[in-house]
Amino acid sequence: MTPFPWADFATALPWTALAVVVLLGTTFAVAVRQGRHSVMDVAWGPGFVAVALVSWYLSAGVGDDARRVLLLLLTAVWGLRLGAHIGWRARDGHEDPRYQAMLSSAPGNRDVYALRRVYLPQGMVMFFVSLPVQVGMFATGGLDWLALPGVLLWLTGFFFETVGDWQLQRFKRDPGRRGTVLDTGLWRYTRHPNYFGDAAVWTGLFLIAADSWPGILTVLSPALMVWTLAAKTGKPLTEKAMSGRPGYREYVEATSGFIPRPPKRS
């Protein structure tokens, strides 16, 4: 087995960190100019693409080309689709209610508070979660059997996230469904197909990286993404906002909270 190029990988880390800093700094400047920090959500997916691009460029001639291209392609498709979706959803130019609630009680300068509570934590998470992609770009061993389930899991996650987002937007555009609960389509099988999809995508990317040493060492990166989506800022905040909606309690009792499964029969 060809040794992992630790020196080349270590040299690339400051550059990938710089990519995160530049992207978030630019996003912060745009957010201050527009007066809405939910712009950060638009930059979330493309931020991972920026990290993947820098890693891909710096790993040229070092890492396995097939794995490098695969990781770049899958990360780019996921990140650009997500950024475009959130950007389209936020095209009215209004601040997201979650950011309004958080920043309305900000002590001192609102923008400085957002920089400390939004941009810095999300930048750190972005860098850490992207480690499987960064490490995988420099892995020298050729693609092996673990890459296949990784790609299949990525495809499953991308399907759930993309179709779930499309079904939710179509539901919101229907004035006759206003104030009700979306419990059809993928939303019959999980209350959060988009969050589940996100978690599956990054677990799949981890498996592709873990296909060659030392990708297995980045296991905490997808674990952090899954924990954040399922137990921290994803599912819990969404369900808190939805808890007062008529029929939501019955929906919770019948439908899986995260991993898709057939709904319970009443």
PDB file of all heavy atoms in Angstrom, residues 66-67 69-75 77 143-160 197 200-211:
ATOM      1  N   ALA A  66      -9.092   8.995  -9.829  1.00  0.00           N
ATOM      2  CA  ALA A  66     -10.496   8.570  -9.866  1.00  0.00           C
ATOM      3  C   ALA A  66     -11.235   9.033  -8.612  1.00  0.00           C
ATOM      4  O   ALA A  66     -12.360   9.546  -8.690  1.00  0.00           O
ATOM      5  CB  ALA A  66     -10.581   7.053 -10.007  1.00  0.00           C
ATOM      6  N   ARG A  67     -10.616   8.876  -7.447  1.00  0.00           N
ATOM      7  CA  ARG A  67     -11.251   9.307  -6.208  1.00  0.00           C
ATOM      8  C   ARG A  67     -11.344  10.832  -6.151  1.00  0.00           C
ATOM      9  O   ARG A  67     -12.342  11.381  -5.703  1.00  0.00           O
ATOM     10  CB  ARG A  67     -10.486   8.772  -4.996  1.00  0.00           C
ATOM     11  CG  ARG A  67     -11.146   9.153  -3.658  1.00  0.00           C
ATOM     12  CD  ARG A  67     -10.420   8.589  -2.464  1.00  0.00           C
ATOM     13  NE  ARG A  67     -10.554   7.148  -2.400  1.00  0.00           N
ATOM     14  CZ  ARG A  67      -9.623   6.285  -2.776  1.00  0.00           C
ATOM     15  NH1 ARG A  67      -8.462   6.735  -3.246  1.00  0.00           N
ATOM     16  NH2 ARG A  67      -9.821   4.992  -2.704  1.00  0.00           N
ATOM     17  N   VAL A  69     -11.652  13.000  -8.633  1.00  0.00           N
ATOM     18  CA  VAL A  69     -12.725  13.474  -9.513  1.00  0.00           C
ATOM     19  C   VAL A  69     -14.089  13.121  -8.933  1.00  0.00           C
ATOM     20  O   VAL A  69     -15.029  13.932  -8.969  1.00  0.00           O
ATOM     21  CB  VAL A  69     -12.568  12.882 -10.929  1.00  0.00           C
ATOM     22  CG1 VAL A  69     -13.786  13.191 -11.784  1.00  0.00           C
ATOM     23  CG2 VAL A  69     -11.308  13.420 -11.587  1.00  0.00           C
ATOM     24  N   LEU A  70     -14.218  11.915  -8.393  1.00  0.00           N
ATOM     25  CA  LEU A  70     -15.495  11.478  -7.821  1.00  0.00           C
ATOM     26  C   LEU A  70     -15.898  12.367  -6.651  1.00  0.00           C
ATOM     27  O   LEU A  70     -17.049  12.823  -6.565  1.00  0.00           O
ATOM     28  CB  LEU A  70     -15.387  10.017  -7.374  1.00  0.00           C
ATOM     29  CG  LEU A  70     -16.658   9.388  -6.789  1.00  0.00           C
ATOM     30  CD1 LEU A  70     -17.781   9.395  -7.815  1.00  0.00           C
ATOM     31  CD2 LEU A  70     -16.372   7.968  -6.314  1.00  0.00           C
ATOM     32  N   LEU A  71     -14.967  12.627  -5.742  1.00  0.00           N
ATOM     33  CA  LEU A  71     -15.278  13.465  -4.583  1.00  0.00           C
ATOM     34  C   LEU A  71     -15.611  14.899  -4.996  1.00  0.00           C
ATOM     35  O   LEU A  71     -16.533  15.510  -4.456  1.00  0.00           O
ATOM     36  CB  LEU A  71     -14.102  13.456  -3.611  1.00  0.00           C
ATOM     37  CG  LEU A  71     -13.874  12.159  -2.827  1.00  0.00           C
ATOM     38  CD1 LEU A  71     -12.560  12.231  -2.052  1.00  0.00           C
ATOM     39  CD2 LEU A  71     -15.039  11.898  -1.871  1.00  0.00           C
ATOM     40  N   LEU A  72     -14.874  15.425  -5.970  1.00  0.00           N
ATOM     41  CA  LEU A  72     -15.157  16.783  -6.437  1.00  0.00           C
ATOM     42  C   LEU A  72     -16.528  16.851  -7.091  1.00  0.00           C
ATOM     43  O   LEU A  72     -17.309  17.775  -6.819  1.00  0.00           O
ATOM     44  CB  LEU A  72     -14.077  17.220  -7.421  1.00  0.00           C
ATOM     45  CG  LEU A  72     -14.291  18.610  -8.051  1.00  0.00           C
ATOM     46  CD1 LEU A  72     -14.291  19.702  -6.997  1.00  0.00           C
ATOM     47  CD2 LEU A  72     -13.227  18.882  -9.121  1.00  0.00           C
ATOM     48  N   LEU A  73     -16.834  15.893  -7.945  1.00  0.00           N
ATOM     49  CA  LEU A  73     -18.103  15.899  -8.656  1.00  0.00           C
ATOM     50  C   LEU A  73     -19.285  15.803  -7.693  1.00  0.00           C
ATOM     51  O   LEU A  73     -20.237  16.591  -7.780  1.00  0.00           O
ATOM     52  CB  LEU A  73     -18.137  14.732  -9.653  1.00  0.00           C
ATOM     53  CG  LEU A  73     -19.444  14.557 -10.424  1.00  0.00           C
ATOM     54  CD1 LEU A  73     -19.705  15.753 -11.316  1.00  0.00           C
ATOM     55  CD2 LEU A  73     -19.398  13.261 -11.255  1.00  0.00           C
ATOM     56  N   LEU A  74     -19.229  14.845  -6.777  1.00  0.00           N
ATOM     57  CA  LEU A  74     -20.347  14.653  -5.855  1.00  0.00           C
ATOM     58  C   LEU A  74     -20.521  15.843  -4.920  1.00  0.00           C
ATOM     59  O   LEU A  74     -21.650  16.265  -4.629  1.00  0.00           O
ATOM     60  CB  LEU A  74     -20.145  13.366  -5.048  1.00  0.00           C
ATOM     61  CG  LEU A  74     -20.127  12.055  -5.858  1.00  0.00           C
ATOM     62  CD1 LEU A  74     -20.030  10.859  -4.925  1.00  0.00           C
ATOM     63  CD2 LEU A  74     -21.349  11.939  -6.747  1.00  0.00           C
ATOM     64  N   THR A  75     -19.414  16.400  -4.435  1.00  0.00           N
ATOM     65  CA  THR A  75     -19.498  17.568  -3.558  1.00  0.00           C
ATOM     66  C   THR A  75     -20.061  18.770  -4.307  1.00  0.00           C
ATOM     67  O   THR A  75     -20.900  19.518  -3.782  1.00  0.00           O
ATOM     68  CB  THR A  75     -18.119  17.922  -2.982  1.00  0.00           C
ATOM     69  OG1 THR A  75     -17.574  16.782  -2.311  1.00  0.00           O
ATOM     70  CG2 THR A  75     -18.220  19.078  -1.994  1.00  0.00           C
ATOM     71  N   VAL A  77     -21.998  18.839  -7.075  1.00  0.00           N
ATOM     72  CA  VAL A  77     -23.422  18.661  -7.408  1.00  0.00           C
ATOM     73  C   VAL A  77     -24.287  18.930  -6.194  1.00  0.00           C
ATOM     74  O   VAL A  77     -25.302  19.641  -6.265  1.00  0.00           O
ATOM     75  CB  VAL A  77     -23.674  17.242  -7.960  1.00  0.00           C
ATOM     76  CG1 VAL A  77     -25.165  16.955  -8.061  1.00  0.00           C
ATOM     77  CG2 VAL A  77     -23.017  17.081  -9.321  1.00  0.00           C
ATOM     78  N   LEU A 143      -9.643   3.218  -6.012  1.00  0.00           N
ATOM     79  CA  LEU A 143     -10.989   2.968  -5.491  1.00  0.00           C
ATOM     80  C   LEU A 143     -11.181   1.477  -5.241  1.00  0.00           C
ATOM     81  O   LEU A 143     -10.826   0.643  -6.066  1.00  0.00           O
ATOM     82  CB  LEU A 143     -12.038   3.465  -6.477  1.00  0.00           C
ATOM     83  CG  LEU A 143     -12.178   4.992  -6.612  1.00  0.00           C
ATOM     84  CD1 LEU A 143     -13.108   5.336  -7.774  1.00  0.00           C
ATOM     85  CD2 LEU A 143     -12.692   5.598  -5.315  1.00  0.00           C
ATOM     86  N   ASP A 144     -11.779   1.146  -4.099  1.00  0.00           N
ATOM     87  CA  ASP A 144     -12.010  -0.245  -3.716  1.00  0.00           C
ATOM     88  C   ASP A 144     -13.502  -0.438  -3.484  1.00  0.00           C
ATOM     89  O   ASP A 144     -14.321   0.435  -3.774  1.00  0.00           O
ATOM     90  CB  ASP A 144     -11.187  -0.576  -2.470  1.00  0.00           C
ATOM     91  CG  ASP A 144     -10.854  -2.064  -2.382  1.00  0.00           C
ATOM     92  OD1 ASP A 144     -11.503  -2.852  -3.101  1.00  0.00           O
ATOM     93  OD2 ASP A 144      -9.963  -2.433  -1.600  1.00  0.00           O
ATOM     94  N   TRP A 145     -13.862  -1.564  -2.883  1.00  0.00           N
ATOM     95  CA  TRP A 145     -15.270  -1.943  -2.771  1.00  0.00           C
ATOM     96  C   TRP A 145     -16.099  -0.969  -1.946  1.00  0.00           C
ATOM     97  O   TRP A 145     -17.298  -0.797  -2.197  1.00  0.00           O
ATOM     98  CB  TRP A 145     -15.371  -3.347  -2.149  1.00  0.00           C
ATOM     99  CG  TRP A 145     -14.924  -3.406  -0.711  1.00  0.00           C
ATOM    100  CD1 TRP A 145     -13.672  -3.626  -0.262  1.00  0.00           C
ATOM    101  CD2 TRP A 145     -15.743  -3.217   0.441  1.00  0.00           C
ATOM    102  NE1 TRP A 145     -13.625  -3.583   1.113  1.00  0.00           N
ATOM    103  CE2 TRP A 145     -14.892  -3.341   1.570  1.00  0.00           C
ATOM    104  CE3 TRP A 145     -17.098  -2.957   0.652  1.00  0.00           C
ATOM    105  CZ2 TRP A 145     -15.366  -3.206   2.875  1.00  0.00           C
ATOM    106  CZ3 TRP A 145     -17.578  -2.823   1.946  1.00  0.00           C
ATOM    107  CH2 TRP A 145     -16.717  -2.953   3.039  1.00  0.00           C
ATOM    108  N   LEU A 146     -15.512  -0.278  -0.940  1.00  0.00           N
ATOM    109  CA  LEU A 146     -16.280   0.595  -0.055  1.00  0.00           C
ATOM    110  C   LEU A 146     -16.794   1.839  -0.782  1.00  0.00           C
ATOM    111  O   LEU A 146     -17.753   2.479  -0.331  1.00  0.00           O
ATOM    112  CB  LEU A 146     -15.415   1.006   1.138  1.00  0.00           C
ATOM    113  CG  LEU A 146     -16.140   1.568   2.365  1.00  0.00           C
ATOM    114  CD1 LEU A 146     -17.175   0.589   2.883  1.00  0.00           C
ATOM    115  CD2 LEU A 146     -15.131   1.906   3.467  1.00  0.00           C
ATOM    116  N   ALA A 147     -16.185   2.164  -1.906  1.00  0.00           N
ATOM    117  CA  ALA A 147     -16.636   3.333  -2.663  1.00  0.00           C
ATOM    118  C   ALA A 147     -18.042   3.125  -3.225  1.00  0.00           C
ATOM    119  O   ALA A 147     -18.817   4.087  -3.335  1.00  0.00           O
ATOM    120  CB  ALA A 147     -15.655   3.641  -3.791  1.00  0.00           C
ATOM    121  N   LEU A 148     -18.394   1.897  -3.577  1.00  0.00           N
ATOM    122  CA  LEU A 148     -19.711   1.627  -4.170  1.00  0.00           C
ATOM    123  C   LEU A 148     -20.850   1.927  -3.199  1.00  0.00           C
ATOM    124  O   LEU A 148     -21.767   2.685  -3.547  1.00  0.00           O
ATOM    125  CB  LEU A 148     -19.787   0.192  -4.679  1.00  0.00           C
ATOM    126  CG  LEU A 148     -21.141  -0.219  -5.281  1.00  0.00           C
ATOM    127  CD1 LEU A 148     -21.498   0.680  -6.450  1.00  0.00           C
ATOM    128  CD2 LEU A 148     -21.107  -1.687  -5.719  1.00  0.00           C
ATOM    129  N   PRO A 149     -20.837   1.354  -1.975  1.00  0.00           N
ATOM    130  CA  PRO A 149     -21.904   1.743  -1.042  1.00  0.00           C
ATOM    131  C   PRO A 149     -21.871   3.230  -0.709  1.00  0.00           C
ATOM    132  O   PRO A 149     -22.906   3.829  -0.409  1.00  0.00           O
ATOM    133  CB  PRO A 149     -21.647   0.881   0.203  1.00  0.00           C
ATOM    134  CG  PRO A 149     -20.250   0.385   0.065  1.00  0.00           C
ATOM    135  CD  PRO A 149     -19.982   0.301  -1.399  1.00  0.00           C
ATOM    136  N   GLY A 150     -20.687   3.845  -0.763  1.00  0.00           N
ATOM    137  CA  GLY A 150     -20.607   5.284  -0.529  1.00  0.00           C
ATOM    138  C   GLY A 150     -21.358   6.065  -1.588  1.00  0.00           C
ATOM    139  O   GLY A 150     -22.120   6.992  -1.278  1.00  0.00           O
ATOM    140  N   VAL A 151     -21.166   5.699  -2.851  1.00  0.00           N
ATOM    141  CA  VAL A 151     -21.873   6.373  -3.943  1.00  0.00           C
ATOM    142  C   VAL A 151     -23.374   6.101  -3.854  1.00  0.00           C
ATOM    143  O   VAL A 151     -24.196   7.005  -4.051  1.00  0.00           O
ATOM    144  CB  VAL A 151     -21.321   5.906  -5.310  1.00  0.00           C
ATOM    145  CG1 VAL A 151     -22.184   6.428  -6.447  1.00  0.00           C
ATOM    146  CG2 VAL A 151     -19.883   6.370  -5.487  1.00  0.00           C
ATOM    147  N   LEU A 152     -23.758   4.868  -3.543  1.00  0.00           N
ATOM    148  CA  LEU A 152     -25.182   4.530  -3.429  1.00  0.00           C
ATOM    149  C   LEU A 152     -25.848   5.306  -2.296  1.00  0.00           C
ATOM    150  O   LEU A 152     -26.980   5.778  -2.436  1.00  0.00           O
ATOM    151  CB  LEU A 152     -25.351   3.024  -3.219  1.00  0.00           C
ATOM    152  CG  LEU A 152     -24.957   2.133  -4.404  1.00  0.00           C
ATOM    153  CD1 LEU A 152     -25.094   0.666  -4.031  1.00  0.00           C
ATOM    154  CD2 LEU A 152     -25.810   2.466  -5.631  1.00  0.00           C
ATOM    155  N   LEU A 153     -25.139   5.446  -1.173  1.00  0.00           N
ATOM    156  CA  LEU A 153     -25.685   6.211  -0.062  1.00  0.00           C
ATOM    157  C   LEU A 153     -25.796   7.687  -0.432  1.00  0.00           C
ATOM    158  O   LEU A 153     -26.770   8.353  -0.087  1.00  0.00           O
ATOM    159  CB  LEU A 153     -24.807   6.028   1.179  1.00  0.00           C
ATOM    160  CG  LEU A 153     -25.339   6.651   2.484  1.00  0.00           C
ATOM    161  CD1 LEU A 153     -26.731   6.118   2.815  1.00  0.00           C
ATOM    162  CD2 LEU A 153     -24.382   6.360   3.638  1.00  0.00           C
ATOM    163  N   TRP A 154     -24.785   8.204  -1.151  1.00  0.00           N
ATOM    164  CA  TRP A 154     -24.844   9.593  -1.618  1.00  0.00           C
ATOM    165  C   TRP A 154     -26.055   9.789  -2.528  1.00  0.00           C
ATOM    166  O   TRP A 154     -26.788  10.775  -2.394  1.00  0.00           O
ATOM    167  CB  TRP A 154     -23.560   9.946  -2.366  1.00  0.00           C
ATOM    168  CG  TRP A 154     -23.501  11.389  -2.794  1.00  0.00           C
ATOM    169  CD1 TRP A 154     -22.911  12.418  -2.135  1.00  0.00           C
ATOM    170  CD2 TRP A 154     -24.060  11.958  -3.995  1.00  0.00           C
ATOM    171  NE1 TRP A 154     -23.072  13.603  -2.825  1.00  0.00           N
ATOM    172  CE2 TRP A 154     -23.770  13.350  -3.971  1.00  0.00           C
ATOM    173  CE3 TRP A 154     -24.773  11.440  -5.073  1.00  0.00           C
ATOM    174  CZ2 TRP A 154     -24.178  14.207  -4.986  1.00  0.00           C
ATOM    175  CZ3 TRP A 154     -25.184  12.297  -6.089  1.00  0.00           C
ATOM    176  CH2 TRP A 154     -24.887  13.661  -6.040  1.00  0.00           C
ATOM    177  N   LEU A 155     -26.281   8.872  -3.458  1.00  0.00           N
ATOM    178  CA  LEU A 155     -27.420   8.976  -4.372  1.00  0.00           C
ATOM    179  C   LEU A 155     -28.742   8.950  -3.620  1.00  0.00           C
ATOM    180  O   LEU A 155     -29.672   9.707  -3.936  1.00  0.00           O
ATOM    181  CB  LEU A 155     -27.373   7.843  -5.401  1.00  0.00           C
ATOM    182  CG  LEU A 155     -26.276   7.942  -6.468  1.00  0.00           C
ATOM    183  CD1 LEU A 155     -26.202   6.638  -7.266  1.00  0.00           C
ATOM    184  CD2 LEU A 155     -26.536   9.120  -7.396  1.00  0.00           C
ATOM    185  N   THR A 156     -28.825   8.082  -2.607  1.00  0.00           N
ATOM    186  CA  THR A 156     -30.038   8.019  -1.788  1.00  0.00           C
ATOM    187  C   THR A 156     -30.268   9.343  -1.074  1.00  0.00           C
ATOM    188  O   THR A 156     -31.381   9.882  -1.070  1.00  0.00           O
ATOM    189  CB  THR A 156     -29.924   6.884  -0.759  1.00  0.00           C
ATOM    190  OG1 THR A 156     -29.751   5.638  -1.438  1.00  0.00           O
ATOM    191  CG2 THR A 156     -31.166   6.812   0.119  1.00  0.00           C
ATOM    192  N   GLY A 157     -29.214   9.868  -0.465  1.00  0.00           N
ATOM    193  CA  GLY A 157     -29.339  11.137   0.248  1.00  0.00           C
ATOM    194  C   GLY A 157     -29.687  12.283  -0.675  1.00  0.00           C
ATOM    195  O   GLY A 157     -30.538  13.126  -0.348  1.00  0.00           O
ATOM    196  N   PHE A 158     -29.047  12.323  -1.841  1.00  0.00           N
ATOM    197  CA  PHE A 158     -29.324  13.406  -2.792  1.00  0.00           C
ATOM    198  C   PHE A 158     -30.766  13.337  -3.276  1.00  0.00           C
ATOM    199  O   PHE A 158     -31.430  14.371  -3.445  1.00  0.00           O
ATOM    200  CB  PHE A 158     -28.361  13.314  -3.972  1.00  0.00           C
ATOM    201  CG  PHE A 158     -28.417  14.498  -4.885  1.00  0.00           C
ATOM    202  CD1 PHE A 158     -27.880  15.724  -4.495  1.00  0.00           C
ATOM    203  CD2 PHE A 158     -29.003  14.402  -6.141  1.00  0.00           C
ATOM    204  CE1 PHE A 158     -27.933  16.825  -5.340  1.00  0.00           C
ATOM    205  CE2 PHE A 158     -29.056  15.494  -6.992  1.00  0.00           C
ATOM    206  CZ  PHE A 158     -28.527  16.710  -6.589  1.00  0.00           C
ATOM    207  N   PHE A 159     -31.275  12.128  -3.488  1.00  0.00           N
ATOM    208  CA  PHE A 159     -32.668  11.951  -3.892  1.00  0.00           C
ATOM    209  C   PHE A 159     -33.611  12.473  -2.815  1.00  0.00           C
ATOM    210  O   PHE A 159     -34.536  13.240  -3.101  1.00  0.00           O
ATOM    211  CB  PHE A 159     -32.947  10.476  -4.173  1.00  0.00           C
ATOM    212  CG  PHE A 159     -34.405  10.161  -4.390  1.00  0.00           C
ATOM    213  CD1 PHE A 159     -35.009  10.415  -5.605  1.00  0.00           C
ATOM    214  CD2 PHE A 159     -35.164   9.612  -3.358  1.00  0.00           C
ATOM    215  CE1 PHE A 159     -36.360  10.137  -5.794  1.00  0.00           C
ATOM    216  CE2 PHE A 159     -36.511   9.324  -3.541  1.00  0.00           C
ATOM    217  CZ  PHE A 159     -37.113   9.583  -4.759  1.00  0.00           C
ATOM    218  N   PHE A 160     -33.399  12.066  -1.569  1.00  0.00           N
ATOM    219  CA  PHE A 160     -34.280  12.495  -0.488  1.00  0.00           C
ATOM    220  C   PHE A 160     -34.223  14.005  -0.291  1.00  0.00           C
ATOM    221  O   PHE A 160     -35.248  14.655  -0.098  1.00  0.00           O
ATOM    222  CB  PHE A 160     -33.911  11.776   0.814  1.00  0.00           C
ATOM    223  CG  PHE A 160     -34.688  10.517   1.037  1.00  0.00           C
ATOM    224  CD1 PHE A 160     -34.304   9.327   0.445  1.00  0.00           C
ATOM    225  CD2 PHE A 160     -35.823  10.518   1.831  1.00  0.00           C
ATOM    226  CE1 PHE A 160     -35.024   8.166   0.636  1.00  0.00           C
ATOM    227  CE2 PHE A 160     -36.562   9.360   2.035  1.00  0.00           C
ATOM    228  CZ  PHE A 160     -36.158   8.175   1.426  1.00  0.00           C
ATOM    229  N   GLY A 197     -31.431  13.419   4.023  1.00  0.00           N
ATOM    230  CA  GLY A 197     -30.662  13.389   2.791  1.00  0.00           C
ATOM    231  C   GLY A 197     -29.294  14.005   2.957  1.00  0.00           C
ATOM    232  O   GLY A 197     -28.283  13.468   2.475  1.00  0.00           O
ATOM    233  N   ALA A 200     -27.100  11.611   4.821  1.00  0.00           N
ATOM    234  CA  ALA A 200     -26.717  10.469   3.992  1.00  0.00           C
ATOM    235  C   ALA A 200     -25.657  10.862   2.964  1.00  0.00           C
ATOM    236  O   ALA A 200     -24.727  10.096   2.687  1.00  0.00           O
ATOM    237  CB  ALA A 200     -27.949   9.895   3.291  1.00  0.00           C
ATOM    238  N   VAL A 201     -25.783  12.041   2.392  1.00  0.00           N
ATOM    239  CA  VAL A 201     -24.799  12.529   1.421  1.00  0.00           C
ATOM    240  C   VAL A 201     -23.410  12.555   2.034  1.00  0.00           C
ATOM    241  O   VAL A 201     -22.433  12.048   1.458  1.00  0.00           O
ATOM    242  CB  VAL A 201     -25.189  13.930   0.902  1.00  0.00           C
ATOM    243  CG1 VAL A 201     -23.979  14.650   0.307  1.00  0.00           C
ATOM    244  CG2 VAL A 201     -26.283  13.814  -0.145  1.00  0.00           C
ATOM    245  N   TRP A 202     -23.299  13.123   3.241  1.00  0.00           N
ATOM    246  CA  TRP A 202     -21.973  13.265   3.839  1.00  0.00           C
ATOM    247  C   TRP A 202     -21.446  11.965   4.431  1.00  0.00           C
ATOM    248  O   TRP A 202     -20.240  11.751   4.495  1.00  0.00           O
ATOM    249  CB  TRP A 202     -21.972  14.408   4.856  1.00  0.00           C
ATOM    250  CG  TRP A 202     -21.835  15.687   4.101  1.00  0.00           C
ATOM    251  CD1 TRP A 202     -22.831  16.531   3.682  1.00  0.00           C
ATOM    252  CD2 TRP A 202     -20.616  16.214   3.566  1.00  0.00           C
ATOM    253  NE1 TRP A 202     -22.309  17.549   2.933  1.00  0.00           N
ATOM    254  CE2 TRP A 202     -20.960  17.385   2.848  1.00  0.00           C
ATOM    255  CE3 TRP A 202     -19.282  15.823   3.621  1.00  0.00           C
ATOM    256  CZ2 TRP A 202     -19.996  18.142   2.195  1.00  0.00           C
ATOM    257  CZ3 TRP A 202     -18.328  16.582   2.976  1.00  0.00           C
ATOM    258  CH2 TRP A 202     -18.685  17.731   2.267  1.00  0.00           C
ATOM    259  N   THR A 203     -22.343  11.076   4.806  1.00  0.00           N
ATOM    260  CA  THR A 203     -21.888   9.747   5.220  1.00  0.00           C
ATOM    261  C   THR A 203     -21.377   8.981   4.006  1.00  0.00           C
ATOM    262  O   THR A 203     -20.376   8.253   4.089  1.00  0.00           O
ATOM    263  CB  THR A 203     -23.024   8.973   5.900  1.00  0.00           C
ATOM    264  OG1 THR A 203     -23.525   9.736   7.011  1.00  0.00           O
ATOM    265  CG2 THR A 203     -22.538   7.622   6.408  1.00  0.00           C
ATOM    266  N   GLY A 204     -22.037   9.158   2.858  1.00  0.00           N
ATOM    267  CA  GLY A 204     -21.571   8.528   1.631  1.00  0.00           C
ATOM    268  C   GLY A 204     -20.206   9.036   1.201  1.00  0.00           C
ATOM    269  O   GLY A 204     -19.334   8.253   0.792  1.00  0.00           O
ATOM    270  N   LEU A 205     -19.995  10.347   1.296  1.00  0.00           N
ATOM    271  CA  LEU A 205     -18.684  10.910   0.955  1.00  0.00           C
ATOM    272  C   LEU A 205     -17.603  10.381   1.895  1.00  0.00           C
ATOM    273  O   LEU A 205     -16.466  10.125   1.474  1.00  0.00           O
ATOM    274  CB  LEU A 205     -18.750  12.441   1.017  1.00  0.00           C
ATOM    275  CG  LEU A 205     -19.554  13.111  -0.108  1.00  0.00           C
ATOM    276  CD1 LEU A 205     -19.721  14.593   0.178  1.00  0.00           C
ATOM    277  CD2 LEU A 205     -18.869  12.901  -1.454  1.00  0.00           C
ATOM    278  N   PHE A 206     -17.969  10.200   3.159  1.00  0.00           N
ATOM    279  CA  PHE A 206     -17.020   9.623   4.110  1.00  0.00           C
ATOM    280  C   PHE A 206     -16.631   8.211   3.704  1.00  0.00           C
ATOM    281  O   PHE A 206     -15.447   7.835   3.759  1.00  0.00           O
ATOM    282  CB  PHE A 206     -17.614   9.614   5.522  1.00  0.00           C
ATOM    283  CG  PHE A 206     -16.963   8.621   6.440  1.00  0.00           C
ATOM    284  CD1 PHE A 206     -15.685   8.845   6.930  1.00  0.00           C
ATOM    285  CD2 PHE A 206     -17.614   7.443   6.794  1.00  0.00           C
ATOM    286  CE1 PHE A 206     -15.057   7.922   7.760  1.00  0.00           C
ATOM    287  CE2 PHE A 206     -17.004   6.517   7.623  1.00  0.00           C
ATOM    288  CZ  PHE A 206     -15.723   6.759   8.096  1.00  0.00           C
ATOM    289  N   LEU A 207     -17.604   7.398   3.276  1.00  0.00           N
ATOM    290  CA  LEU A 207     -17.295   6.021   2.877  1.00  0.00           C
ATOM    291  C   LEU A 207     -16.356   5.989   1.675  1.00  0.00           C
ATOM    292  O   LEU A 207     -15.472   5.128   1.579  1.00  0.00           O
ATOM    293  CB  LEU A 207     -18.593   5.270   2.558  1.00  0.00           C
ATOM    294  CG  LEU A 207     -19.496   4.954   3.749  1.00  0.00           C
ATOM    295  CD1 LEU A 207     -20.758   4.247   3.280  1.00  0.00           C
ATOM    296  CD2 LEU A 207     -18.769   4.108   4.793  1.00  0.00           C
ATOM    297  N   ILE A 208     -16.544   6.929   0.752  1.00  0.00           N
ATOM    298  CA  ILE A 208     -15.639   6.996  -0.401  1.00  0.00           C
ATOM    299  C   ILE A 208     -14.221   7.333   0.056  1.00  0.00           C
ATOM    300  O   ILE A 208     -13.241   6.769  -0.429  1.00  0.00           O
ATOM    301  CB  ILE A 208     -16.153   8.032  -1.418  1.00  0.00           C
ATOM    302  CG1 ILE A 208     -17.499   7.592  -1.984  1.00  0.00           C
ATOM    303  CG2 ILE A 208     -15.139   8.231  -2.547  1.00  0.00           C
ATOM    304  CD1 ILE A 208     -18.192   8.644  -2.830  1.00  0.00           C
ATOM    305  N   ALA A 209     -14.116   8.259   1.017  1.00  0.00           N
ATOM    306  CA  ALA A 209     -12.795   8.604   1.558  1.00  0.00           C
ATOM    307  C   ALA A 209     -12.218   7.464   2.380  1.00  0.00           C
ATOM    308  O   ALA A 209     -11.009   7.193   2.343  1.00  0.00           O
ATOM    309  CB  ALA A 209     -12.895   9.869   2.407  1.00  0.00           C
ATOM    310  N   ALA A 210     -13.081   6.763   3.134  1.00  0.00           N
ATOM    311  CA  ALA A 210     -12.625   5.668   3.995  1.00  0.00           C
ATOM    312  C   ALA A 210     -12.224   4.441   3.193  1.00  0.00           C
ATOM    313  O   ALA A 210     -11.655   3.492   3.748  1.00  0.00           O
ATOM    314  CB  ALA A 210     -13.736   5.296   4.990  1.00  0.00           C
ATOM    315  N   ASP A 211     -12.496   4.462   1.893  1.00  0.00           N
ATOM    316  CA  ASP A 211     -12.128   3.379   1.000  1.00  0.00           C
ATOM    317  C   ASP A 211     -10.607   3.188   0.950  1.00  0.00           C
ATOM    318  O   ASP A 211     -10.111   2.134   0.562  1.00  0.00           O
ATOM    319  CB  ASP A 211     -12.676   3.727  -0.393  1.00  0.00           C
ATOM    320  CG  ASP A 211     -12.521   2.607  -1.379  1.00  0.00           C
ATOM    321  OD1 ASP A 211     -13.021   1.518  -1.103  1.00  0.00           O
ATOM    322  OD2 ASP A 211     -11.891   2.833  -2.428  1.00  0.00           O
TER     323      ASP A 211
END
